[in-house]
Amino acid sequence: SEGVRAQILDGCVELAYPTLDAVRHRLSHPNEILSESAFGWTDNTDHILIHDPWGSKFRLYADSGARDPRGVQPGDASEGLAMTRLTLNVPEGTSLDGIVRFYQHVFCCPGLVADNSAVINMANGQELRFELHCDARPLDEPGFNEDGLALNNGIHLSIYVENLTSAFERAQQLGCIYVNHRFNRRAYTLEEAVEQCMFRVLNVVDPMSPDSGPILKLEHEVRSCTNADGSKYKSCPFDKVPE
């Protein structure tokens, strides 16, 4: 992402590998340049916690069955099999129930509140978790470009939905449609979203009280699995369109 500083994720990315042997071997011989950064790791036998050179945290663990059978992105297969969980820290007092209701209502993703977290099942063993944390950093507030148009250089999630039209209409009813002028593709209307196979959402609101304002602001790039004619969208990672 563009910006004057590196973005440090306030949370954790969990990655599944068939085995951690090769990872441990590489970690035992790190590049010397990393010694001047925030890079570091802790081996906990069943998993490895790694901080990248800027400080973002990754949890690596072994699970040979974690690969998504529905397909992969083009190119050579990576050593890692899947990103199974993304945890984002949120300030204490954040409405976890409201977050769960948002994802259920807009994206039809089941969820629950457990262990001070909103746990969202994104599909096929992949989990999005919002965890209450006393030291959580607020997400970067979106800004504007020199022309006064909305611009967000902060983190964003990219997700695929089975029915783009329905998801757009539900998000629109809550007033959550967002256009980020950092990107050339901009969907203000349903027709533009269908034509471009995507739209964006910024505000996460409680569907039971949308007028209360956003619970948090987190940009979502919502993508369709299909083109307007029903054919598979070019960047859809699945071998075939989900039924």
Side-chain angles (χ1 to χ4, degrees):
S1 178
E2 300 173 358
V4 297
R5 57 182 174 81
Q7 293 180 6
I8 302 172
L9 180 72
D10 190 8
C12 183
V13 180
E14 298 196 27
L15 304 173
Y17 282 69
T19 173
L20 296 179
D21 293 345
V23 176
R24 287 191 171 101
H25 177 74
R26 290 194 294 272
L27 289 174
S28 67
H29 301 84
N31 192 304
E32 290 185 2
I33 196 172
L34 294 174
S35 64
E36 301 176 4
S37 72
F39 175 75
W41 77 94
T42 304
D43 194 331
N44 296 283
T45 307
D46 65 334
H47 69 275
I48 303 173
L49 283 178
I50 299 177
H51 286 85
D52 73 12
W54 296 272
S56 293
K57 184 168 68 175
F58 297 79
R59 181 181 184 271
L60 280 56
Y61 69 100
D63 182 356
S64 60
R67 188 182 298 279
D68 192 328
R70 296 173 297 177
V72 296
Q73 293 282 11
D76 295 336
S78 64
E79 185 179 320
L81 299 178
M83 181 176 69
T84 55
R85 177 185 291 170
L86 172 63
T87 298
L88 297 175
N89 295 332
V90 294
E92 292 181 334
T94 298
S95 174
L96 300 180
D97 289 309
I99 292 174
V100 169
R101 286 191 287 266
F102 174 82
Y103 282 92
Q104 289 176 332
H105 178 77
V106 177
F107 301 123
C108 299
C109 294
L112 54 84
V113 175
D115 300 326
N116 289 320
S117 299
V119 183
I120 314 298
N121 178 12
M122 302 304 291
N124 212 61
Q126 198 169 52
E127 184 178 283
L128 175 61
R129 179 183 289 257
F130 296 87
E131 186 171 299
L132 297 181
H133 198 286
C134 61
D135 296 322
R137 300 189 304 270
L139 294 169
D140 290 340
E141 190 73 17
F144 300 90
N145 63 16
E146 60 274 11
D147 297 319
L149 300 173
L151 187 73
N152 180 29
N153 284 321
I155 67 170
H156 78 271
L157 307 182
S158 181
I159 64 175
Y160 283 88
V161 293
E162 294 183 11
N163 191 321
L164 188 83
T165 295
S166 295
F168 182 96
E169 290 174 340
R170 290 190 292 267
Q172 187 178 51
Q173 289 171 357
L174 294 177
C176 296
I177 300 300
Y178 176 70
V179 174
N180 188 349
H181 289 82
R182 173 186 164 204
F183 302 101
N184 291 326
R185 292 196 301 162
R186 300 164 186 172
Y188 291 91
T189 66
L190 174 59
E191 290 72 20
E192 291 171 333
V194 171
E195 188 273 327
Q196 297 182 37
C197 304
M198 59 75 64
F199 67 93
R200 295 178 187 274
V201 166
L202 178 68
N203 292 344
V204 174
V205 304
D206 187 343
M208 293 182 62
S209 55
D211 293 338
S212 297
I215 300 170
L216 54 85
K217 295 184 178 183
L218 175 63
E219 184 173 342
H220 299 64
E221 180 185 8
V222 186
R223 294 185 174 187
S224 173
C225 293
T226 62
N227 295 300
D229 63 5
S231 60
K232 190 176 77 167
Y233 180 54
K234 61 182 179 181
S235 68
C236 177
F238 304 136
D239 292 331
K240 61 180 182 180
V241 175
E243 298 179 356

